[in-house]
Every structure is written in C-alpha cells, then in structure tokens.
C-alpha cells in the first residue's frame, strides 16, 4: 500500500474511497490509548510505585462528507454503504503504510442533518483485542534439523508474541521452542511426517496450536510459558525436536 497525499482507509483490503466517488474523507483521528495503571503504596514512605501499566483500548474516528448536492436519498445510500464497509477486521490507513490494526465498529455514521450538503459524518472504531498498530508482514527466521538457533530483530514499542510453523520429516512427538530464554515444550504430539504444525494467534488474539486439523495445545508441558513474548530488539531463537524439522519462527 503506497503512501498517498489524500486520505484513504481499508478494511480487510477493501478501500473506503472506492465505495463511491462522492465520498470525501475529512479526517482520520487516532484518540489517545486507554491505559490501566496499577499503583501500590511505598511501605514506610511517601508516594506510590507503579506496579504495571496495560493498554486497554484505542479508538479511531473517520470523518467524511458526501458530495451529493440535491438527491437526499442518494446521500443516505452512500452513508449506508460506508456503514456496510465499516465492519470488524483489519484496518489500514494511507498514512501508515504496511501497518494494520484489528478493529470493530462501535459507532456507525448517522444520517442526521441529511439536508445539509456541508454535513460531516463520523464512523468510530475501537481496537480492543490488540490496541497497537502492527506490521502487515512478519519478520521471520527459519532453521532446519533436529535443533537450531538464530536471531530475529523485532521493532515496535511493546512486547510481541513469537509464532511458529513446523514441518517434520518424520513423526514429530517432542518439540521445544525458545525465545530469549523462554521455552514452550511439547510431548506426545503425534504429528505425522510432512504435516504442518502451527503456533499462532487468531484475529481475536487467541492462541491456536494446530496440526493436521487437530488442536495440539494439550501436548504443551506444564513447565512451558503460556506465550513466547519478546521485547523490541534482537531476539535469540531456538528449537529442538525428536526428528528433523523445518521450523520458521516469526514476529510482527
């Protein structure tokens, strides 16, 4: 997606301006993220210390006009088109090339002041599953064998999860994935030779561990971390398995 001087927005790769030539995007505004902060009193002292901060939500507002001078019914139909476009999915905007954010619509555009040609309408989205912009394309590292190590440089300004695709050359029963000293291990996997196992997240941020159409999350050992989360910067990656595998580990 190229940078454009004129504003545009896409949901699931469908762009807003293509819906109707009479749509004029006035602004795309990103409100300040909602952040939860937990404080604790300093024992025997004054003030408080921050225990944690967590971003909860981010709202994105698109304002537009409809350049239809006389036909009020047509103006209303254009607004309906925009509300039909404004569904749950990955939002991209022209001023953030190669970035995306998963949103759902919280406020549709209302056909108020429909007689006023200069009216500005608003549709509002919320990013609550992951209130951060993320790369459209993942960075990746690939290793082959019964074990391997490598590095991956991640960007951004917060922790991001490591995902993986594993294709074994024989029956895969045991596997360990590591990232910056954290480990996620599996036993009793029973993945047939040539079948792909994936460790990934769906659009709603839920971890999925699948192979040959069957969930393998129950094969994860109790000592494993729940998620392989890494900070921005250089990440040390590794894997080991009971058979030779091609392992690709990724991060956005």
């Amino acid at each position: 997606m190229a940078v454009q001087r004129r504003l545009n927005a896409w949901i699931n790769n469908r762009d807003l301006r293509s819906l109707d030539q009479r749509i004029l995007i006035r602004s795309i505004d990103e409100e300040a993220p909602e952040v939860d902060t937990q404080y604790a009193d300093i024992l025997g002292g004054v003030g408080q210390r921050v225990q944690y901060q967590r971003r909860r939500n981010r709202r994105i507002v698109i304002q537009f006009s409809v350049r239809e001078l006389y036909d009020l019914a047509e103006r209303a139909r254009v607004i309906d088109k925009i509300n039909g476009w404004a569904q749950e999915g990955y939002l991209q905007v022209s001023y953030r090339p190669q970035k995306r954010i998963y949103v759902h619509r919280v406020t549709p555009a209302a056909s108020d002041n429909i007689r006023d040609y200069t009216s500005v309408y608003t549709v509002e989205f919320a990013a609550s599953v992951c209130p951060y912009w993320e790369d459209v394309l993942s960075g990746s590292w690939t290793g082959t064998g019964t074990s391997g190590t490598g590095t991956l440089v991640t960007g951004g300004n917060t922790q991001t999860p490591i995902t993986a695709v594993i294709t074994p050359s024989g029956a895969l029963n045991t596997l360990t994935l590591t990232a910056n000293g954290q480990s996620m291990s599996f036993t009793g996997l029973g993945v047939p030779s040539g079948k792909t196992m994936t460790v990934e997240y769906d659009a709603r941020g839920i971890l999925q561990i699948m192979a040959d159409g069957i969930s393998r999350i129950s094969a994860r050992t109790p000592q494993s971390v729940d998620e392989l989360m890494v900070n921005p910067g250089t990440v040390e990656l590794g894997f080991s398995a009971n058979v030779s595998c091609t392992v690709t580990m990724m991060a956005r």
Side-chain angles (χ1 to χ4, degrees):
M1 183 177 64
V3 179
Q4 301 181 25
R5 292 183 180 276
R6 295 177 63 190
L7 287 173
N8 203 0
W10 292 255
I11 294 241
N12 298 328
N13 295 319
R14 187 184 182 200
D15 75 281
L16 175 54
R17 278 171 37 195
S18 71
L19 300 179
D20 195 288
Q21 63 182 3
R22 293 166 291 187
I23 296 170
L24 175 62
I25 302 174
R26 296 284 188 179
S27 66
I28 302 175
D29 299 316
E30 302 177 31
E31 297 183 359
E34 298 175 22
V35 178
D36 277 343
T37 304
Q38 179 68 47
Y39 298 94
D41 291 336
I42 298 174
L43 188 63
V46 297
Q48 294 180 309
R49 66 169 61 92
V50 176
Q51 289 188 314
Y52 73 84
Q53 285 188 311
R54 180 172 63 91
R55 187 178 291 194
R56 297 179 59 245
N57 202 346
R58 183 166 205 161
R59 301 224 169 190
I60 299 170
V61 178
I62 298 178
Q63 293 188 319
F64 65 93
S65 298
V66 179
R67 293 178 292 189
E68 170 56 54
L69 186 58
Y70 300 112
D71 193 329
L72 303 187
E74 273 299 301
R75 195 178 301 164
R77 274 191 284 272
V78 173
I79 294 170
D80 286 343
K81 285 182 184 180
I82 293 173
N83 285 332
W85 167 86
Q87 300 300 313
E88 182 174 348
Y90 283 107
L91 173 68
Q92 294 175 259
V93 294
S94 53
Y95 60 87
R96 286 187 180 270
Q98 299 304 314
K99 301 291 182 182
R100 68 182 190 178
I101 191 168
Y102 197 81
V103 298
H104 63 277
R105 188 187 68 195
V106 291
T107 307
S111 303
D112 52 354
N113 297 323
I114 196 68
R115 293 176 61 86
D116 185 356
Y117 174 75
T118 64
S119 288
V120 177
Y121 306 98
T122 297
V123 60
E124 183 175 353
F125 300 92
S128 53
V129 172
C130 178
Y132 290 89
W133 292 93
E134 65 179 19
D135 293 333
V136 171
L137 302 175
S138 298
S140 66
W141 167 82
T142 299
T144 303
T146 56
S147 64
T149 59
T151 59
L152 174 65
V153 177
T154 64
N157 57 14
T158 190
Q159 286 192 323
T160 189
I162 296 292
T163 60
V165 177
I166 305 99
T167 305
S169 60
L172 178 64
N173 291 310
T174 61
L175 172 70
T176 296
L177 304 173
T178 61
N180 281 356
Q182 309 168 82
S183 294
M184 184 181 289
S185 297
F186 304 87
T187 186
L189 280 167
V191 179
S193 176
K195 297 294 183 179
T196 297
M197 174 178 165
T198 58
V199 180
E200 59 186 0
Y201 295 80
D202 66 14
R204 292 172 176 80
I206 299 172
L207 178 63
Q208 309 282 328
I209 301 174
M210 302 291 294
D212 200 20
I214 301 170
S215 174
R216 295 309 205 275
I217 200 164
S218 63
R220 186 172 56 180
T221 64
Q223 296 78 21
S224 297
V225 294
D226 292 334
E227 300 174 294
L228 290 170
M229 302 294 294
V230 297
N231 290 317
T234 300
V235 181
E236 301 291 336
L237 300 174
F239 75 93
S240 62
N242 69 294
V243 294
S244 182
C245 301
T246 298
V247 178
T248 299
M249 301 177 72
M250 298 163 285
R252 293 183 189 274

